[in-house]
Amino acid sequence: SQQGEEDPQALSIQEGENATMNCSYKTSINNLQWYRQNSGRGLVHLILIRSNEREKHSGRLRVTLDTSKKSSSLLITASRAADTASYFCATDATDYKLSFGAGTTVTVRA
Amino acid sequence: DADVTQTPRNRITKTGKRIMLECSQTKGHDRMYWYRQDPGLGLRLIYYSFDVKDINKGEISDGYSVSRQAQAKFSLSLESAIPNQTALYFCATSSSYSNQPQHFGDGTRLSIL
């Protein structure tokens, strides 16, 4: 069964705008990870946030984690055409097995 | 060269055939995983291995088997393929340290007619 659920399922934005997507999960976690998948390619790890962290930044990415609400958000600032991809959250609950959500498809329009 | 290599990249075959998908890695990771991706369902774990002699079932292992031939190699077999096994298959690796990401291959697109 899937642990994480992303919202929205799809997002279309103009280049230069920010994109925000959310992930909710059901059980306690060790960490939560975000991955990007370009069409026809494998998943690429973006950022990992541990359960005792609340916010993390990496370049134009900002991830927040609220363990009390069992939710996380991924913000991509100043989006570019190259950010067009599907984004997945994955939770690591106990033994290093990841549970993935169904993903958010982001389209950045030029 | 890719750190995690999957072969073949694409495969079309017929119902009832035996198929093997192969994965090799140069990252030196102990842990290897096989996932299946279907539209709208995200990735689901088929099998995983934490060491050469360790094999564990994931959430959807029925109809699949695996072999961990060496630290760097992990193969997935479909003994008798059926059409609902048509999907995108991914191999991934990770370090055995805690709080580490997984590293994915580019996938095998498998179609069973």
Side-chain angles (χ1 to χ4, degrees), chain B residues 3-63:
Chain B
D3 294 323
V4 183
T5 303
Q6 291 184 235
T7 56
R9 290 295 316 279
N10 293 281
R11 178 81 185 270
I12 301 172
T13 192
K14 295 181 179 179
T15 297
K17 294 289 188 182
R18 184 179 187 275
I19 301 155
M20 180 181 285
L21 308 183
E22 303 199 22
C23 177
S24 63
Q25 54 121 343
T26 58
K27 298 193 74 68
H29 288 162
D30 289 326
R31 300 181 174 193
M32 298 187 74
Y33 310 81
W34 275 105
Y35 291 92
R36 166 180 174 158
Q37 185 177 32
D38 296 277
L41 290 180
L43 274 73
R44 292 181 291 167
L45 183 63
I46 306 172
Y47 271 97
Y48 62 103
S49 168
F50 285 176
D51 200 350
V52 174
K53 294 183 178 163
D54 178 74
I55 300 290
N56 304 281
K57 292 184 178 180
E59 58 181 300
I60 54 161
S61 58
D62 287 350

Side-chain angles (χ1 to χ4, degrees), chain A residues 1-2 30-31 33 35 37 40-45 48 50-51 88 92 95-103, chain B residues 9 31 33 35 37 40-43 45 48 50 59 88 90 96-102 104-107 109:
Chain A
S1 62
Q2 290 175 233
N30 292 327
N31 65 68
Q33 305 177 28
Y35 289 80
Q37 183 181 31
R41 303 299 301 272
L43 279 72
V44 174
H45 177 257
L48 181 152
R50 301 183 186 196
S51 60
F88 295 88
D92 177 352
D95 52 2
Y96 314 108
K97 291 184 296 178
L98 293 181
S99 294
F100 286 84
Chain B
R9 290 295 316 279
R31 300 181 174 193
Y33 310 81
Y35 291 92
Q37 185 177 32
L41 290 180
L43 274 73
L45 183 63
Y48 62 103
F50 285 176
E59 58 181 300
L88 193 52
F90 287 103
S96 56
Y97 294 103
S98 61
N99 294 306
Q100 296 298 311
Q102 291 186 9
F104 286 79
D106 277 339
R109 186 169 297 279

Side-chain angles (χ1 to χ4, degrees), chain A residues 27-93:
Chain A
T27 65
S28 298
I29 60 172
N30 292 327
N31 65 68
L32 185 144
Q33 305 177 28
W34 285 91
Y35 289 80
R36 183 188 73 231
Q37 183 181 31
N38 291 94
S39 181
R41 303 299 301 272
L43 279 72
V44 174
H45 177 257
L46 296 176
I47 200 162
L48 181 152
I49 186 165
R50 301 183 186 196
S51 60
N52 61 354
E53 297 175 312
R54 292 296 167 258
E55 188 170 313
K56 207 160 180 183
H57 297 255
S58 176
R60 294 183 297 111
L61 305 180
R62 172 178 169 257
V63 168
T64 63
L65 179 64
D66 186 335
T67 53
S68 66
K69 294 181 179 177
K70 291 187 170 59
S71 67
S72 174
S73 67
L74 171 66
L75 167 68
I76 305 172
T77 60
S79 62
R80 306 166 181 169
D83 295 327
T84 293
S86 292
Y87 292 81
F88 295 88
C89 72
T91 54
D92 177 352

